[in-house]
Amino acid sequence: MIFLETPSNPSLDIVDLEFVGKLAKKHNILLNVDNCFATPYLQNPIKWGADIVTHSATKFIDGQGRAIGGIIVGRNELIKEVRFFSRHTGPCLSPFNSWILSKSLETLAVRMEKHCHQAMELAKYLENKNEVFNVKYPFLPSHPQYDLAKKQMRMGGALVTFEIKGGIEKGASFLNKLKMISFTANLGDTRTIASHPASTTHSKLTDSERKKVGIEAGTIRISVGLEHLDDIIKDIEMALS
Ligand SMILES: *Cc1c(COP(=O)(O)O)cnc(C)c1O
């Protein structure tokens, strides 16, 4: 099985779904796409040849940081096995969490529209700031795979990454100075979240392993929430200064 995520966490690299879809078919390999960052609203991997689509529903599908869960989508014959395994080993949603997640799906489209619009505006703002560099967002024309992102995604998503000049020390002081934005190792909430992959989600990798997947010591990942855009920008402005 080929298992991939696009956009990737946290580097926001894009994997060419049409290319990998054809490659998998040619070699008769299952293609499983982690669609967590894009959500079904922004990207539909099955259209490009994926056999299975996996979501962490904990993120945008819940969207409000209340429940953890996951969704696996695919043909009946494939899902039958997953269902059998889950029934007998335990990773099943409780009825209450299922209810929360299915209610959330009713607002996924409107939430994603706003998340994406605000993320795009924040990315443009950051690109003009002297204190940061390497601003990455799939729908910024400066993204090295901008055309590919435009081809397979409907909007750019809610995640923006950048590096603070001055490395890990300046990065840490930036995170500590944020007031409204939450410093947590989660994403996809109504609240804007800043995270520092090198010391949290990717702390188990060595420096050189992190570099290989595009994570520098000073890389900051922002999951843009649904607060007023001016408040988000103001908090970042204040922490940078
Ligand atoms: C968070 C995350 C996961 C894991 O999901 P959990 O709900 O925390 O188990 C998998 N893939 C991506 C891209 C994620 O961001």
Side-chain angles (χ1 to χ4, degrees):
M1 180 189 286
I2 299 172
F3 186 47
L4 62 87
E5 60 180 18
T6 181
S8 69
N9 179 21
S11 321
L12 304 179
D13 293 320
I14 311 293
V15 179
D16 187 335
L17 288 173
E18 185 177 18
F19 174 81
V20 184
K22 284 183 178 153
L23 186 75
K25 198 135 285 155
K26 185 174 158 200
H27 296 281
N28 206 17
I29 300 169
L30 287 176
L31 174 59
N32 184 345
V33 176
D34 182 331
N35 204 29
C36 180
F37 272 35
T39 79
Y41 186 63
L42 304 182
Q43 179 172 272
N44 305 113
I46 286 175
K47 201 168 84 184
W48 305 109
D51 298 288
I52 301 168
V53 182
T54 307
H55 299 273
S56 165
T58 314
K59 312 295 171 46
F60 296 100
I61 288 175
D62 172 32
Q64 288 146 90
R66 302 166 299 182
I68 60 170
I71 300 173
I72 304 171
V73 182
R75 295 188 296 280
N76 245 339
E77 88 238 31
L78 297 173
I79 299 304
K80 249 204 273 184
E81 270 187 65
V82 179
R83 191 186 169 89
F84 183 82
F85 177 82
S86 299
R87 269 189 85 131
H88 293 275
T89 56
C92 298
L93 281 170
S94 72
F96 184 69
N97 283 9
S98 308
W99 175 75
I100 287 178
L101 296 177
S102 58
K103 286 303 288 175
S104 292
L105 282 173
E106 294 169 7
T107 57
L108 181 68
V110 278
R111 286 186 286 108
M112 290 315 292
E113 290 277 343
K114 175 107 177 175
H115 278 296
C116 295
H117 171 72
Q118 308 221 109
M120 182 77 205
E121 291 305 309
L122 179 66
K124 285 195 275 188
Y125 158 83
L126 286 168
E127 259 198 332
N128 291 314
K129 292 303 286 182
N130 286 327
E131 296 91 336
V132 308
F133 63 109
N134 256 346
V135 178
K136 234 169 150 188
Y137 182 69
F139 270 34
L140 270 187
S142 61
H143 190 291
Q145 296 163 296
Y146 173 72
D147 292 332
L148 182 57
K150 283 263 172 177
K151 174 185 153 194
Q152 63 190 38
M153 294 176 74
R154 199 187 146 124
M155 296 173 90
L159 282 298
V160 181
T161 63
F162 58 92
E163 280 179 64
I164 306 248
K165 285 182 191 162
I168 196 148
E169 258 166 66
K170 277 275 156 79
S173 106
F174 168 77
L175 290 164
N176 288 328
K177 288 276 166 20
L178 290 169
K179 280 217 165 97
M180 182 193 78
I181 295 173
S182 160
F183 176 28
T184 331
N186 191 24
L187 64 99
D189 199 335
T190 41
R191 295 274 309 274
T192 298
I193 292 172
S195 73
H196 182 231
S199 68
T200 58
T201 48
H202 295 72
S203 60
K204 285 188 192 126
L205 305 186
T206 64
D207 278 351
S208 70
E209 285 170 335
R210 273 196 294 270
K211 268 201 176 14
K212 258 193 220 157
V213 292
I215 304 167
E216 301 292 333
T219 300
I220 306 281
R221 186 193 73 190
I222 305 277
S223 169
V224 180
L226 303 180
E227 306 95 334
H228 198 292
L229 182 62
D230 292 351
D231 291 331
I232 299 171
I233 288 180
K234 208 181 240 174
D235 202 29
I236 288 176
E237 179 92 40
M238 184 269 303
L240 283 177
S241 65

